[in-house]
Amino acid sequence: MALNEEHRDEWFRILGGYPDDEKPDPEDRLAVETSCSGFLGNMWTRATMPEVQGVSLAELELVFIQFYLGRPDPFAAAMLAAMTELADAPGGRRAAVKALERLEKLGVSPPSWYGEDMKLGECWKAGDVYGDQLTFFCAFHAPSGDQALSFTVDYSEYHFDMVVDCDATDDVDRLLALHRDRNGKTPDRLFQPVEADPAEVFAGTRRSLDDWDLFCVEGDARRLAPRFLMLRELWRARLRQFPQVEPEEVRQPTDDELSLFASGFLSHMLGKTMLEERHFEAIRELCWFHGVNGPKVSPTRAYVFLERWMPAKYAPDDPVVEAVRDLFIPFLRWTASATDLDPAAWPYLKFKAERYLGEFPGWSSKDPDVARFPRPRSL
């Protein structure tokens, strides 16, 4: 669907409805960029959902620029200055530069921070010991003032990487202090901030910005976390300063790897349980799923395996389902030991797994639509 006058008028109404008393000081770069990023996040949801609007984000960025070009005042100049950095399309960034030049001819100067380089500084990461979640913190430096951004990403080899929290501030120490305090209270599950390589930050967040999980929000981008939508374009713009590395693809276990994994667990179980055919099939399912991207067990993997993977392949009365119930905790315990998971992290994993098993199987029939593996990629 092409951009038409109705779309343009709708966004002019939305942009024009910004209350004057809520507009940030044009000289406050972070506040202006956050405000601009918020509008772009809203536009992205519309561009993502064809049934809502169906026009491209690049087209909507030009509508944004047209709107502020028609309102020659310091706040409009500040929003256009932000667009020279935040617009996703290079053409949008160039158009914002030209719009600022036109405002200058009308006597409206850009903010003092316009044209400054916002340079990448220190990076850190914190998260859980299982690898299910990481928070990245990055400091940026400029003459007009420093900035700090954080992104918390949930990882899943089965679905998508999801941004579940984010923040922007001029005080990176505040962000780090919050996580040092919180993570320090549960050292069995969480580790405190440590230095991170910028390439790791790029790889750890890049996919989550585009491959938002249709399953988790039932296909509606408007249901994503509001703070993610507010800061999405700001983070994307800052990522241009990072090493542009390719995130690793999901790697399924080879036949040899699967055989080695299963043989190890089988040897562990010999003499402990009378194994039947259903158990052997259950072991294959357990080892295959937990062997994606290398053997690993975690609360997220446990949840997805029991609540998503099994319902996609089996009816609840299938003998393999009961075999999984028999073997699940022993399998997690053996794999945790074999993969050198910190012993202090085992009790929480066991607690979560037993909680999931309490309602397993919780489905009425096989549902192939529940499972999508390998997950599709838009990159």
Side-chain angles (χ1 to χ4, degrees):
M1 183 189 302
L3 178 69
N4 57 39
E5 200 63 25
E6 181 181 346
H7 300 143
R8 181 178 176 277
D9 290 344
E10 177 191 3
W11 277 101
F12 269 40
R13 287 193 300 272
I14 293 172
L15 293 165
Y18 199 159
D20 288 336
D21 59 352
E22 294 183 12
K23 293 178 180 176
D25 179 354
E27 289 298 319
D28 187 338
R29 179 173 182 174
L30 180 58
V32 171
E33 288 183 328
T34 300
S35 178
C36 178
S37 180
F39 276 112
L40 291 176
N42 195 320
M43 289 178 166
W44 172 70
T45 66
R46 301 297 186 94
T48 304
M49 303 299 295
E51 65 271 26
V52 176
Q53 190 164 74
V55 297
S56 70
L57 179 58
E59 290 174 304
L60 294 177
E61 287 175 350
L62 294 180
V63 171
F64 182 104
I65 293 168
Q66 292 168 1
F67 176 85
Y68 281 110
L69 183 58
R71 285 154 178 76
D73 59 38
F75 178 70
M79 291 292 268
L80 289 171
M83 278 291 281
T84 65
E85 294 281 341
L86 269 60
D88 186 56
R93 298 195 289 275
R94 291 193 295 268
V97 170
K98 292 184 178 297
L100 270 176
E101 293 172 352
R102 291 180 61 180
L103 285 190
E104 279 198 278
K105 292 179 181 179
L106 297 174
V108 181
S109 299
S112 61
W113 48 263
Y114 173 58
E116 282 185 351
D117 287 333
M118 182 64 73
K119 295 185 177 181
L120 174 64
E122 307 80 4
C123 297
W124 299 266
K125 65 178 179 180
D128 71 30
V129 299
Y130 309 101
D132 286 343
Q133 184 183 94
L134 285 177
T135 299
F136 294 100
F137 312 85
C138 297
F140 301 89
H141 306 294
S144 61
D146 295 341
Q147 294 183 8
L149 299 177
S150 70
F151 261 64
T152 300
V153 183
D154 275 357
Y155 297 99
S156 171
E157 286 81 7
Y158 187 74
H159 291 303
F160 292 92
D161 302 340
M162 289 289 293
V163 176
V164 294
D165 196 14
C166 48
D167 201 355
T169 179
D170 57 3
D171 184 3
V172 70
D173 289 334
R174 178 186 70 83
L175 289 178
L176 293 171
L178 289 172
H179 282 257
R180 288 190 181 108
D181 180 62
R182 186 196 71 171
N183 294 13
K185 295 176 181 177
T186 52
D188 59 321
R189 304 197 297 273
L190 303 172
F191 66 89
Q192 296 199 15
V194 295
E195 289 189 17
D197 186 280
E200 181 182 4
V201 177
F202 182 90
T205 60
R206 181 66 182 84
R207 279 199 170 120
S208 61
L209 296 172
D210 288 329
D211 290 344
W212 52 279
D213 197 331
L214 289 157
F215 187 91
C216 292
V217 294
E218 297 182 2
D220 189 345
R222 293 165 297 178
R223 294 180 56 190
L224 289 165
R227 286 209 291 182
F228 169 49
L229 296 180
M230 177 65 70
L231 296 175
R232 177 179 181 271
E233 289 301 329
L234 180 55
W235 185 263
R236 283 170 60 86
R238 294 289 180 263
L239 281 183
R240 297 188 197 114
Q241 300 183 34
F242 289 70
Q244 307 294 294
V245 299
E246 280 295 321
E248 292 185 4
E249 285 293 341
V250 174
R251 187 177 65 81
Q252 301 179 45
T254 65
D255 289 341
D256 288 344
E257 290 171 333
L258 183 59
S259 177
L260 186 63
F261 194 4
S263 295
F265 180 59
L266 273 171
S267 298
H268 172 73
M269 292 300 297
L270 289 177
K272 297 180 180 180
T273 299
M274 183 65 68
L275 298 178
E276 303 172 4
E277 182 177 349
R278 61 192 177 96
H279 291 105
F280 291 112
E281 183 62 27
I283 290 172
R284 180 174 179 81
E285 294 289 359
L286 286 162
C287 290
W288 189 91
F289 185 88
H290 292 83
V292 173
N293 280 1
K296 186 179 77 170
V297 288
S298 74
T300 292
R301 283 203 183 193
Y303 171 80
V304 174
F305 178 78
L306 295 175
E307 300 288 339
R308 298 289 180 263
W309 182 250
M310 291 299 292
K313 296 194 69 176
Y314 298 94
D317 58 353
D318 192 293
V320 175
V321 173
E322 189 60 30
V324 164
R325 177 188 289 279
D326 296 339
L327 297 175
F328 196 59
I329 298 300
F331 172 80
L332 294 183
R333 187 71 188 95
W334 176 81
T335 306
S337 177
T339 55
D340 295 323
L341 180 71
D342 186 341
W346 165 248
Y348 180 74
L349 173 57
K350 181 173 182 286
F351 164 76
K352 295 295 285 187
E354 289 176 339
R355 188 172 177 179
Y356 301 144
L357 281 174
E359 299 182 0
F360 177 83
W363 65 97
S364 58
S365 61
K366 184 165 66 173
D367 182 5
D369 290 337
V370 171
R372 294 178 290 113
F373 195 97
R375 54 186 175 177
R377 288 298 191 189
S378 63
L379 296 181

